[in-house]
Amino acid sequence: MDTLKCPECFAPVAAEDRFCEACGRNLLVRRTPLGGPTGPAQASCILCGSPDIDDEDYCTQCGRHQPSARDRVEYTLGAVSGVSDRGKRRARNEDSMAFGHVAGKGVAAVVCDGVASSERAEQASQAAADAAVDVLLNALIDTADAEQAMVDAVAASCFAVEQLVENEPMEPGARGVAPSCTFVSALVTGSSVTIGWVGDSRAYWLSAEGSKQLTSDDTWAAQLVSEGVLTEEQARTDRRAHVLSRWIGADAGRVEPQVVTLKPTSPGVFLLCSDGLHNYRPEPEDLQPLLPCGPEEFVKVALEAGGHDNITVVLVPFSPHVAE
């Protein structure tokens, strides 16, 4: 029989252990790296091969700016996987994702899209995603109420983004561009999923028996559709299509997510994504053919369609009554 080992320090552990006695790691919880990827994408200069890269990702030998590790991020934890890509037109990737699972309890996943017009958008999205996923993982450990956990997760995200301004105030004249992001998350157990969102990042349910969009965009255009002022087709091309009516940010005021809980009776996949994907494949039936694929294929579709924005996709497989 194979000996179990701690994934952090590789010390031997027993199946019933909750913590590693050698390093203290919680053996029940695994999550994506806190803070996301940092620094250049590789250790040596892409032009001259020099290993001397400064803190701003410039080669000290030839001066070439190096691709960021955030340009293309790929994570896999068990059956859950995610990809975040800078796309073809953006100077940097301002999307972030964080996810993790608690053994025998379930999965928590978060996608945040930094608002491009705001300062430190990539920091806002990463701080929000990290803060939220920690709250949701703790809720799984404690078997807490899922919908209240989603409200608490958004509150934690708001506080984390507000702290960016507290710790590093904006420059004079930067009014109206406080660090901001959108938010969508899923708390998945063996029998149900709770989805929470703020902004226009989306969640979908993809299944062989039928797929559907689980979220509604918090945008002025979507609001006009709900009020009967615009049709859905008109809204897609309206200049207000991506003007957010709700967001997470230091200037957003008190924010609570919209929350829904579902109990699917058949296997399928929960998809969380930024608008870099759903701008090209907005309808559930547009995404249905990709059901057997990993997140790389979803991102590839958006890149081949133009890749005008950052693209982030997280997939959480679901089987009824089978906890992660």
Side-chain angles (χ1 to χ4, degrees):
M1 182 176 179
D2 293 338
T3 301
L4 297 176
K5 295 183 180 180
C6 170
E8 186 74 25
C9 70
F10 305 107
V13 295
E16 64 273 15
D17 288 345
R18 179 169 179 174
F19 295 93
C20 172
E21 292 186 2
C23 71
R25 174 172 176 147
N26 188 329
L27 298 173
L28 299 181
V29 179
R30 292 184 64 202
R31 60 151 294 169
T32 51
L34 184 67
T38 58
Q42 56 191 52
S44 58
C45 176
I46 59 172
L47 182 62
C48 71
S50 170
D52 298 322
I53 311 298
D54 67 18
D55 292 341
E56 296 183 350
D57 299 341
Y58 284 92
C59 175
T60 60
Q61 298 300 313
C62 70
R64 175 69 176 266
H65 189 264
Q66 307 302 301
S68 168
R70 291 184 60 87
D71 285 359
R72 176 81 175 192
V73 186
E74 300 184 14
Y75 294 136
T76 299
L77 288 177
V80 186
S81 56
V83 174
S84 184
D85 193 281
R86 179 172 61 89
K88 296 181 177 180
R89 302 293 181 89
R90 297 289 187 176
R92 59 184 180 273
N93 187 1
E94 295 172 335
D95 285 2
S96 295
M97 59 181 170
F99 53 87
H101 65 76
V102 179
K105 297 283 188 131
V107 169
V110 181
V111 167
C112 293
D113 180 351
V115 176
S117 60
S118 71
E119 288 193 345
R120 289 170 277 163
E122 69 276 13
Q123 294 180 36
S125 65
Q126 189 67 60
D130 282 334
V133 84
D134 282 344
V135 170
L136 296 176
L137 289 171
N138 285 330
L140 286 171
I141 293 171
D142 298 335
T143 319
D145 179 78
E147 294 196 352
Q148 183 59 51
M150 198 63 69
V151 173
D152 294 342
V154 167
S157 292
C158 291
F159 180 76
V161 175
E162 289 168 3
Q163 288 301 107
L164 294 176
V165 177
E166 291 288 332
N167 296 333
E168 187 180 338
M170 293 185 296
E171 295 293 328
R175 182 181 178 186
V177 289
S180 306
C181 65
T182 67
F183 175 100
V184 65
S185 64
L187 189 61
V188 185
T189 68
S191 59
S192 67
V193 60
T194 297
I195 303 291
W197 73 96
V198 178
D200 63 353
S201 291
R202 292 183 181 180
Y204 294 86
W205 166 247
L206 306 181
S207 168
E209 297 185 1
S211 299
K212 61 182 177 179
Q213 182 179 332
L214 304 177
T215 56
S216 56
D217 295 346
D218 289 322
T219 61
W220 286 111
Q223 183 174 327
L224 292 174
V225 170
S226 68
E227 294 172 353
V229 177
L230 295 177
T231 66
E232 290 190 6
E233 185 62 33
Q234 289 171 330
R236 289 194 187 100
T237 58
D238 192 278
R239 60 183 177 82
R240 295 159 290 187
H242 295 286
V243 175
L244 297 174
S245 56
R246 297 195 317 137
W247 64 93
I248 289 175
D251 60 350
R254 180 175 174 81
V255 177
E256 289 196 7
Q258 297 189 67
V259 179
V260 296
T261 296
L262 305 94
K263 295 185 176 182
T265 57
S266 61
V269 174
F270 290 103
L271 162 67
L272 305 183
C273 67
S274 62
D275 61 356
L277 173 65
H278 69 69
N279 282 341
Y280 297 110
R281 293 285 184 100
E283 302 301 331
E285 53 267 29
D286 298 332
L287 298 164
Q288 181 80 20
L290 296 172
L291 177 59
C293 303
E296 303 86 354
E297 289 301 312
F298 286 80
V299 171
K300 182 180 178 182
V301 164
L303 289 171
E304 291 179 344
H308 284 73
D309 202 350
N310 306 148
I311 310 148
T312 299
V313 174
V314 174
L315 301 179
V316 184
F318 177 86
S319 294
H321 311 300
V322 178
E324 176 72 10

